[in-house]
């Protein structure tokens, strides 16, 4: 039978990039992490990692266990929180620091449900540009795009949202067709800036092949809030890559047209991802824990 208690150790090894870093995050000995991984491999009768001198990589079986393990651990956390919260009075203020586009498209839509569950709970959202040390700053929860290097922090990965490449019918009228990412160089670009850097658009063809990228440093209009880019795009300002949640309604209404539908789009490079980050001390607060689990459940599902 699979040792479910060993799954968090596997997840931590993958997310931290090694056994020693995982041990630091879990506050245990490296030998303890190694023992749990060996137990999983024994239970499944399959190696989970390909061990190289400089790099630790998941086998195909390891990737399956990791992805399913994330789901299992998330469901266990939700179950524990549901039972725990039934006996708790969740109240007080929780401060969240998150990029504008995540706050607008993924935090805001699930706040009403949170308020219905915990009417005495108060939420404050802001965004601090650049690196913020969670141990020194004033927020309880941080959502960041770049993975923090401090392995003592708790980092929970978020599913990356779907983005669409769009433009208004008025803008596209009389313009050169866009059949591949290379065609974007002939168009007016609306570009997202993140931490004072132009976001690079990446395009993965659904039939496979190499990732194609477009550098938006030549964008005539740049923004840090996707709602601003969305409004300029709808008004005919050019081509934009914004979250599906923001673009879908206007595409259905005919105010925008989805472009390059044969590609999946992203504004993060392969080395970036989104994480909910918090300290071990913050996780001891019932109100902070309740908000974290609510965000994970809504954003990842």
């Amino acid at each position: 039978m699979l040792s479910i208690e060993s799954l968090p150790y596997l997840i931590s090894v993958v997310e931290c990039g090694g056994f020693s870093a995982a041990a630091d995050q879990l506050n245990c000995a490296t030998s303890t992490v190694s023992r749990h991984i060996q137990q999983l491999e024994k239970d499944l009768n399959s190696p989970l990692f390909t061990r190289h001198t400089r790099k630790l990589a998941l086998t195909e079986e390891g990737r399956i266990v990791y992805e399913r393990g994330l789901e299992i651990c998330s469901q266990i956390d939700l179950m524990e929180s549901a039972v725990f919260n039934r006996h708790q009075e969740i109240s007080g203020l929780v401060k969240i620091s998150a990029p504008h586009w995540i706050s607008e498209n993924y935090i805001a839509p699930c706040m009403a449900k949170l308020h219905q569950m915990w009417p005495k709970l108060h939420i404050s959202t802001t965004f601090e540009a650049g690196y913020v040390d969670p141990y020194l700053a004033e927020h309880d929860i941080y959502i960041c795009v770049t993975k923090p290097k401090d392995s003592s922090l708790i980092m929970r990965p978020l599913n990356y949202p779907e983005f669409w490449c769009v433009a208004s019918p008025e803008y596209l009228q009389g313009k050169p067709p866009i059949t591949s990412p290379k065609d974007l160089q002939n168009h007016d670009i609306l570009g997202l800036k993140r931490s004072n850097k132009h976001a690079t658009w990446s395009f993965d063809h659904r039939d496979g092949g190499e990732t194609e990228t477009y550098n938006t440093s030549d964008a005539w209009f740049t923004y840090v809030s996707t709602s601003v880019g969305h409004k300029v795009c709808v008004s005919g300002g050019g081509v934009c890559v914004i979250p599906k949640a923001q673009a879908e309604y206007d595409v259905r209404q005919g105010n925008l047209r989805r472009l390059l539908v044969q590609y999946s789009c992203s504004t993060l490079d392969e080395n970036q991802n989104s994480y909910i980050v918090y300290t071990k001390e913050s996780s001891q607060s019932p109100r902070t824990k309740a908000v974290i689990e609510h965000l994970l459940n809504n954003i990842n599902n």
Side-chain angles (χ1 to χ4, degrees):
M1 181 177 290
L2 181 66
S3 303
I4 294 179
E5 65 271 16
S6 295
L7 288 174
Y9 292 85
L10 170 70
I11 293 169
S12 186
V13 170
V14 174
E15 294 176 355
C16 293
F19 283 56
S20 296
D24 290 339
Q25 184 188 62
L26 297 169
N27 194 27
C28 66
T30 304
S31 59
T32 301
V33 177
S34 179
R35 185 172 67 252
H36 279 280
I37 300 302
Q38 291 172 3
Q39 184 62 52
L40 282 172
E41 292 179 327
K42 180 180 178 181
D43 291 343
L44 296 166
N45 193 29
S46 180
L48 302 179
F49 291 97
T50 301
R51 295 166 174 83
H52 300 292
T53 304
R54 295 184 179 180
K55 187 177 181 181
L56 194 67
L58 283 169
T59 62
E60 182 59 26
E61 292 80 5
R63 182 188 62 79
I64 293 172
V65 176
Y66 169 67
E67 292 178 352
R68 298 295 174 85
L70 282 175
E71 298 174 5
I72 292 171
C73 289
S74 177
Q75 290 301 314
I76 291 175
D77 286 343
L78 289 172
M79 177 186 68
E80 291 178 342
S81 294
V83 174
F84 176 79
N85 290 338
R86 282 181 61 88
H87 305 286
Q88 293 290 321
E89 177 68 28
I90 305 300
S91 62
L93 175 64
V94 174
K95 297 180 179 180
I96 305 172
S97 175
H100 294 298
W101 63 273
I102 289 182
S103 294
E104 293 167 349
N105 297 289
Y106 300 96
I107 294 180
C110 68
M111 285 296 99
K113 184 177 179 181
L114 180 69
H115 182 60
Q116 292 172 2
M117 293 171 57
W118 309 114
K120 295 184 179 180
L121 186 64
H122 296 261
I123 304 295
S124 172
T125 61
T126 59
F127 176 59
E128 298 182 29
Y131 175 74
V132 177
D133 186 344
Y135 288 106
L136 300 177
E138 62 176 10
H139 293 85
D140 303 293
I141 302 168
Y142 295 83
I143 300 181
C144 55
V145 171
T146 303
K147 186 176 183 180
K149 296 180 180 180
D150 189 343
S151 60
S152 69
L153 294 169
I154 300 175
M155 292 165 273
R156 307 280 293 276
L158 294 172
N159 291 344
Y160 189 70
E162 184 177 356
F163 276 67
W164 283 2
C165 182
V166 294
S168 70
E170 291 76 15
Y171 167 79
L172 293 171
Q173 189 173 6
K175 294 289 194 301
I178 301 176
T179 59
S180 77
K182 294 179 181 179
D183 296 329
L184 294 171
Q185 62 186 344
N186 301 317
H187 287 266
D188 299 328
I189 301 299
L190 309 175
L192 172 68
K193 291 192 75 174
R194 187 180 290 122
S195 299
N196 285 326
K197 294 182 180 179
H198 293 272
T200 296
W201 296 348
S202 62
F203 299 87
D204 291 296
H205 201 285
R206 302 191 187 280
D207 293 334
E210 294 185 1
T211 298
E212 298 182 56
T213 60
Y214 185 83
N215 187 331
T216 63
S217 59
D218 62 346
W220 79 269
F221 183 85
T222 58
Y223 54 89
V224 295
S225 169
T226 55
S227 65
V228 174
H230 170 237
K231 291 181 183 300
V232 177
C233 189
V234 170
S235 67
V239 180
C240 191
V241 170
I242 55 178
K244 170 188 173 182
Q246 207 162 33
E248 191 169 22
Y249 175 79
D250 282 301
V251 170
R252 289 178 176 175
Q253 295 297 311
N255 301 320
L256 291 174
R257 288 182 186 170
R258 187 181 175 192
L259 310 171
L260 301 174
V261 295
Q262 69 273 37
Y263 293 86
S264 59
C265 309
S266 171
T267 63
L268 298 178
D269 63 37
E270 60 182 5
N271 298 316
Q272 294 179 307
N273 208 331
S274 295
Y275 297 88
I276 289 184
V277 179
Y278 50 98
T279 65
K280 291 179 181 178
E281 289 75 14
S282 294
S283 67
Q284 301 305 311
S285 165
R287 60 174 176 266
T288 302
K289 186 174 181 180
V291 174
I292 290 169
E293 297 305 330
H294 182 77
L295 290 175
L296 285 168
N297 187 42
N298 282 271
I299 295 175
N300 282 351
N301 293 328

